[in-house]
Amino acid sequence: MLHFLKKHPIKIGLLFIVGMVWLFCLPKQLFNEPTSTVLKSREGLMLGARIADDGQWRFPEQDSVPYRFEQCILNFEDEYFYYHPGFNPVAITKALWENLTTEDRRGGSTLTQQVIRLSRKNQERTYWEKVIEIFQATRLEVRFSKKEILNLYATYAPFGGNVVGLETASWRYFGLSSQDLSWGQAAALAVLPNAPALIFPGKNEKIFQQKRDRLLRKLFENEVIDQTTYELALAEKLPGKPFPLPEITPHLTEKLRNDHKGKQLTSTINYSLQQQINEIARKNHEALRQNEIHNLAILILDVNTLEVLAYVGNSPTSAEHDHFVDIIQRPRSTGSILKPFLYAAMLDEGSLLPHTLVADVPTSVNGYSPQNFDKEFNGAVPASVALAKSLNVPAVRMLQDYGLQKFYHQLEKLQQKNINKSADYYGLSLILGGAESSLWDITNAYAGMASTLNHFNSSSSEYKPNEFLEPIYKLNKKADFGKNQFQPEVFHAGAVYHTLKTLEEVNRPNGEENWNFFSHSQAISWKTGTSYGFKDAWAVGVNARFAVGVWVGNADGEGRPGLTGLQAAAPILFESFDKLPKADVFQIPYDELVEAEICSKSGHLAGIYCQETAQELIPKYGTRTNSCPYHQQVFLDKSEQFQVNSSCYELAEMKVNNWFSLPPVMEYYYAPKHPEYKSLPPFKSGCLKEGEKLMQFIFPKKNEAILLPKNFKEQTNPVVFKLAHRNPDTKVYWYIDKQFIEVTETFHEITYQPEPSEHLLTVTDQQGNSLSIKIEIEKDLN
């Protein structure tokens, strides 16, 4: 050997060079072509696809080549594929001899060589190019297994027009996956890469059929298929004009293209459910567009896994009405949809009990005056009722009490990514739609509430630290909720439980009112929201298994009459829940609740003067709240018509009573709606209790600047002053800067047009009780 090396150094050098060239003749990445973006359901069914950047339909590489196509392509192109080293000497010799001795042209390329030719962009066929193919094919056989080489061929072979690859061709020509191809279909596709032009309808169909049928005959003769299968395959039709690819989830497919361009992803989408939700969207769009409402979105999440089960990014409307906008990801005004989070936050910190009376009276904070949807006031309502009825004024007052900045930080924990300006930027209108969020984030936040309750470990009082994760739409990706800990991420289970139970009591839309009488129906905790100007209608609901979010409106922001959460979005919400399996009720988190004696009328912890009480389970920090401030002990005369005290009445003749009494302004609006309510009797003459508050201004409030607006005739409108008095039968005398204006009785309000300036407003009742307030009048300069 050593002698040979010394005698033939040049040959050895050449062999070494050739060996090194052979070793490195293949590029590290054989194919660099862009691929299509492909989305499949959890069952493996096609949901949608997006074309590759070079304009080709080229699906990403599949895991394997289906058996039927493998048998077809091997019998048609390369019977000895599993035995040769990358080229077939016998086939090449026969092809060379025939090409030299006849006018026919015969190819002797193996599938391995064809993979090399495809990777080299189908260079001009010359003998030198054939040598290169053989050289690189042998190297390819060393780098890859036979199965991998076959898969490369199936991925990059041309199938006519801009259709590349077996999986792409299966969907384009037959509307199904390559795994589901029949023998006739697989045979038809196997002959196409050899002559892709055969696929064009109306041309070469006879040649195409002859090729396919010869292949099927060969499969039969080689005992790959039996007689019956052969005859059935011959009867199958040839593929014609390409099918459009499925568009079951167009907006989620587009999201995949943006997030994972050129990838194939098996999603968490339930194919059957998605089809049903698509039909709900189609049907409701047909009805809504009669009112010129053109867009809607529906999102369904699995509460326990955060998997996306259905995704309707928009209605099947036209491009004119922004069909391509993915509403699920688009920030929109939240309306009242954030109110449950404020309710839960106040329950959680112990500043509120579930049914505590909250004020619903005219309110003005730095010029901001919220209004309820019906433009009325209730005086006082239980917090649970205020949430269930979505009252705006109590929500604003509750936010002011809880703290704007504190609630803003809670929303950050709830992953409301689009609420990204400062808390002061939004102000108290934050709770009424002054901020924007997406259906994606809102639905996920509601799902996180339910998940908190589901994951709470009652035996150890432990929580998962990551309940408000990003929803998952990739199958087999697991949500990492983290290891158990003793503190929740946002809310304790007791506060969440009471919030969700309160939302179960929200009045359902028409047709759903008597849901609890039907065995197939289920309890749903849900909330609607309507933005200012009727531009956005929301409905979001959860149970122990699913969270469903619905948005309805116009993508361009046009408001429409009737575009409210209850009328437009809620029916879609309940239709969607009807397509879901029934869920169990939420489990009561006893370890996070404590039993307390509650005043039945006020919802506060029972005070010593509360007459009707009940034992209730409240969030554990609820014991921090004050006892009932509305029940007091009063002393009455013998007739029980007047209050008295020891300075003006004999102790022995006094009658003692426990009385439920609201402050004057709350009472002013509460009493007319509650016939059972009795105002405190007035004090007997000469017995006025020191510090007793008989009167209270409804409007204006202390230190409030009043703007006098102009009407359509450019005339300045007057202002209406309103007063609440415990004794509506008394007369009240009104003064501006000590100048008498008017006297009122029963209804204490006057219309007046003061000059722009600072003024002193004073009222005096006929018993001589007075009340004054400084006001500042400003004129509208617009």
Side-chain angles (χ1 to χ4, degrees):
M1 183 67 176
L2 185 63
H3 175 73
F4 180 81
L5 293 174
K6 289 181 178 179
K7 189 173 181 180
H8 303 285
I10 295 177
K11 292 181 180 179
I12 297 302
L14 287 174
L15 286 174
F16 176 78
I17 292 171
V18 171
M20 293 303 292
V21 171
W22 178 83
L23 188 63
F24 297 102
C25 67
L26 286 180
K28 188 174 183 180
Q29 187 172 348
L30 209 58
F31 294 94
N32 294 307
E33 285 80 359
T35 54
S36 302
T37 304
V38 182
L39 184 68
K40 293 186 176 181
S41 72
R42 65 193 310 124
E43 302 88 355
L45 300 173
M46 174 77 71
L47 294 173
R50 293 292 177 267
I51 200 165
D53 285 348
D54 61 355
Q56 302 293 303
W57 283 108
R58 184 188 298 107
F59 285 9
E61 186 174 331
Q62 304 299 301
D63 294 334
S64 62
V65 177
Y67 172 76
R68 289 176 181 175
F69 181 79
E70 179 182 354
Q71 292 301 313
C72 289
I73 197 66
L74 294 183
N75 278 273
F76 186 74
E77 289 281 3
D78 193 352
E79 287 187 79
Y80 299 98
F81 174 71
Y82 284 105
Y83 307 102
H84 61 63
F87 66 97
N88 187 332
V90 176
I92 289 177
T93 301
K94 288 182 178 179
L96 181 61
W97 176 254
E98 188 169 322
N99 292 341
L100 291 173
T101 58
T102 68
E103 293 183 357
D104 295 333
R105 289 294 176 264
R106 174 178 173 177
S109 297
T110 63
L111 288 176
T112 311
Q113 288 175 259
Q114 291 184 50
V115 170
I116 294 297
R117 185 185 307 140
L118 291 170
S119 72
R120 290 174 58 78
K121 307 295 187 292
N122 290 312
Q123 300 269 351
E124 184 180 353
R125 296 192 180 190
T126 63
Y127 288 112
W128 176 244
E129 182 62 27
K130 184 65 72 174
V131 170
I132 294 174
E133 282 179 16
I134 294 172
F135 192 70
Q136 290 189 337
T138 58
R139 180 69 183 91
L140 186 66
E141 292 276 348
V142 175
R143 181 190 289 186
F144 295 102
S145 69
K146 288 288 188 178
K147 292 288 187 183
E148 289 172 328
I149 293 171
L150 187 61
N151 206 12
L152 284 172
Y153 176 82
T155 301
Y156 293 100
F159 284 83
N162 65 344
V163 178
V164 178
L166 170 65
E167 186 69 11
T168 317
S170 297
W171 281 105
R172 291 289 278 159
Y173 296 133
F174 298 110
L176 45 78
S177 170
S178 60
Q179 299 290 338
D180 300 321
L181 289 172
S182 67
W183 281 106
Q185 292 167 338
L189 293 184
V191 306
L192 272 181
N194 184 265
L198 294 178
I199 194 62
F200 292 105
K203 292 180 61 179
N204 304 317
E205 289 183 5
K206 186 175 181 179
I207 300 173
F208 189 5
Q209 183 154 357
Q210 289 173 348
K211 282 177 172 284
R212 186 204 66 173
D213 292 352
R214 280 199 300 268
L215 173 56
L216 289 171
R217 180 70 185 177
K218 188 174 183 180
L219 291 171
F220 171 61
E221 291 172 349
N222 290 343
E223 298 184 351
V224 176
I225 58 177
D226 58 26
Q227 177 78 33
T228 302
T229 304
Y230 170 58
E231 291 174 356
L232 290 173
L234 288 175
E236 291 186 47
K237 292 182 179 180
L238 293 172
K241 185 179 179 181
F243 287 103
L245 290 173
E247 278 282 64
I248 310 300
T249 56
H251 299 91
L252 186 59
T253 304
E254 193 64 23
K255 177 175 170 58
L256 174 63
R257 188 185 72 82
N258 293 330
D259 294 349
H260 305 286
K261 190 175 185 179
K263 303 294 183 182
Q264 176 172 293
L265 184 143
T266 300
S267 72
T268 58
I269 296 294
N270 181 302
Y271 189 86
S272 175
L273 176 63
Q274 181 69 44
Q275 291 279 42
Q276 293 177 77
I277 301 303
N278 283 352
E279 176 59 21
I280 289 174
R282 185 201 63 77
K283 182 183 68 175
N284 281 276
H285 167 250
E286 289 296 321
L288 289 165
R289 71 174 184 170
Q290 306 305 316
N291 189 26
E292 297 184 27
I293 300 170
H294 299 287
N295 306 100
L296 63 86
I298 308 171
L299 177 65
I300 301 181
L301 304 178
D302 185 306
V303 162
N304 295 309
T305 64
L306 291 185
E307 291 180 342
V308 178
L309 302 180
Y311 191 109
V312 178
N314 208 328
S315 57
T317 187
S318 62
E320 177 188 358
H321 297 296
D322 305 300
H323 165 63
F324 297 106
V325 174
D326 185 354
I327 300 292
I328 288 177
Q329 303 295 333
R330 185 63 62 91
R332 304 293 303 202
S333 172
T334 56
S336 299
I337 212 71
L338 301 179
K339 289 176 182 176
F341 305 127
L342 175 61
Y343 182 77
M346 296 186 75
L347 291 178
D348 196 50
E349 76 163 8
S351 59
L352 186 76
L353 295 183
H355 309 299
T356 299
L357 283 181
V358 293
D360 182 16
V361 297
T363 301
S364 180
V365 182
N366 297 326
Y368 175 57
S369 300
Q371 294 285 327
N372 293 325
F373 188 79
D374 60 7
K375 307 296 183 184
E376 294 186 1
F377 300 99
N378 298 279
V381 290
S384 56
V385 174
L387 176 61
K389 292 188 174 181
S390 199
L391 299 177
N392 293 335
V393 174
V396 169
R397 297 178 70 97
M398 288 165 64
L399 178 57
Q400 186 180 28
D401 291 342
Y402 179 73
L404 176 61
Q405 191 67 46
K406 195 160 53 171
F407 182 60
Y408 178 82
H409 287 315
Q410 293 285 39
L411 293 178
E412 288 182 322
K413 293 179 183 178
L414 294 170
Q415 303 299 318
Q416 299 305 298
K417 299 182 289 293
N418 293 293
I419 303 179
N420 50 21
K421 297 180 174 62
S422 69
D424 291 337
Y425 174 86
Y426 300 111
L428 296 177
S429 68
L430 172 64
I431 200 64
L432 303 184
E436 292 185 336
S437 189
S438 65
L439 190 63
W440 179 264
D441 290 340
I442 291 292
T443 308
N444 187 46
Y446 276 74
M449 295 259 284
S451 177
T452 297
L453 206 53
N454 288 346
H455 289 159
F456 173 66
N457 189 330
S458 58
S459 61
S460 60
S461 296
E462 291 181 320
Y463 294 87
K464 297 292 185 184
N466 306 318
E467 295 290 2
F468 298 91
L469 298 169
E470 191 79 2
I472 294 168
Y473 65 97
K474 181 178 181 181
L475 192 65
N476 299 325
K477 180 180 179 181
K478 302 298 181 183
D480 183 9
F481 295 105
K483 296 180 179 179
N484 286 358
Q485 61 184 31
F486 289 106
Q487 289 299 320
E489 182 181 4
V490 186
F491 305 128
H492 288 85
V496 172
Y497 175 77
H498 271 287
T499 301
L500 296 180
K501 292 302 289 184
T502 295
L503 293 179
E504 279 185 15
E505 303 305 317
V506 176
N507 290 331
R508 298 195 180 193
N510 291 337
E512 293 280 343
E513 303 93 331
N514 300 315
W515 64 273
N516 50 334
F517 291 111
F518 299 95
S519 59
H520 69 276
S521 296
Q522 54 186 323
I524 299 168
S525 302
W526 68 291
K527 181 75 182 71
T528 60
T530 305
S531 68
Y532 179 76
F534 303 102
K535 297 178 180 180
D536 306 272
W538 299 77
V540 183
V542 293
N543 58 25
R545 291 184 63 184
F546 306 105
V548 178
V550 176
W551 178 93
V552 177
N554 287 310
D556 61 5
E558 180 187 0
R560 295 295 303 165
L563 183 56
T564 66
L566 184 62
Q567 290 178 271
I572 300 174
L573 176 80
F574 287 101
E575 278 190 72
S576 299
F577 265 110
D578 284 344
K579 304 301 180 184
L580 297 170
K582 188 173 181 179
D584 295 330
V585 297
F586 288 113
Q587 297 300 306
I588 302 175
Y590 289 105
D591 289 356
E592 291 291 276
L593 300 170
V594 295
E595 191 172 47
E597 188 178 11
I598 304 298
C599 176
S600 299
K601 281 193 174 182
S602 71
H604 282 271
L605 295 175
I608 60 174
Y609 300 123
C610 290
Q611 296 167 301
E612 298 177 18
T613 63
Q615 294 293 321
E616 295 182 9
L617 290 174
I618 63 172
K620 61 182 180 180
Y621 294 126
T623 54
R624 298 174 178 176
T625 59
N626 297 322
S627 59
C628 176
Y630 303 124
H631 279 88
Q632 57 183 289
Q633 191 175 63
V634 297
F635 298 91
L636 306 174
D637 65 357
K638 283 195 296 185
S639 67
E640 298 187 6
Q641 294 181 347
F642 296 99
Q643 293 187 67
V644 294
N645 54 42
S646 59
S647 67
C648 64
Y649 205 78
E650 290 294 330
L651 288 174
E653 296 184 5
M654 290 183 188
K655 291 190 176 182
V656 182
N657 204 338
N658 294 335
W659 206 283
F660 174 68
S661 177
L662 296 171
V665 173
M666 292 172 67
E667 180 183 278
Y668 178 83
Y669 291 98
Y670 183 88
K673 297 189 176 186
H674 295 81
E676 75 284 1
Y677 179 81
K678 294 181 179 180
S679 298
L680 273 174
F683 273 87
K684 196 173 182 65
S685 180
C687 293
L688 182 61
K689 183 178 177 181
E690 186 176 353
E692 177 71 9
K693 206 169 187 180
L694 294 176
M695 295 182 288
Q696 189 175 352
F697 282 111
I698 298 173
F699 184 83
K701 297 295 184 184
K702 187 177 180 181
N703 299 324
E704 181 178 4
I706 301 171
L707 183 68
L708 296 179
K710 294 180 180 178
N711 59 25
F712 292 115
K713 297 181 179 180
E714 293 299 313
Q715 297 172 332
T716 301
N717 288 328
V719 63
V720 178
F721 297 133
K722 298 180 74 173
L723 177 81
H725 198 291
R726 284 202 182 278
N727 183 7
D729 295 329
T730 190
K731 292 182 179 179
V732 173
Y733 302 86
W734 297 75
Y735 301 85
I736 282 280
D737 301 326
K738 298 182 180 181
Q739 296 292 319
F740 173 74
I741 307 173
E742 194 173 332
V743 61
T744 57
E745 188 173 358
T746 305
F747 297 104
H748 302 298
E749 58 181 66
I750 65 169
T751 301
Y752 188 70
Q753 191 169 28
E755 291 296 321
S757 179
E758 285 191 357
H759 299 276
L760 180 66
L761 177 63
T762 304
V763 290
T764 303
D765 66 14
Q766 65 188 57
Q767 285 79 33
N769 304 303
S770 294
L771 184 66
S772 296
I773 188 174
K774 286 186 177 181
I775 58 174
E776 183 177 349
I777 304 295
E778 299 176 355
K779 187 174 284 189
D780 188 356
L781 300 178
N782 293 328

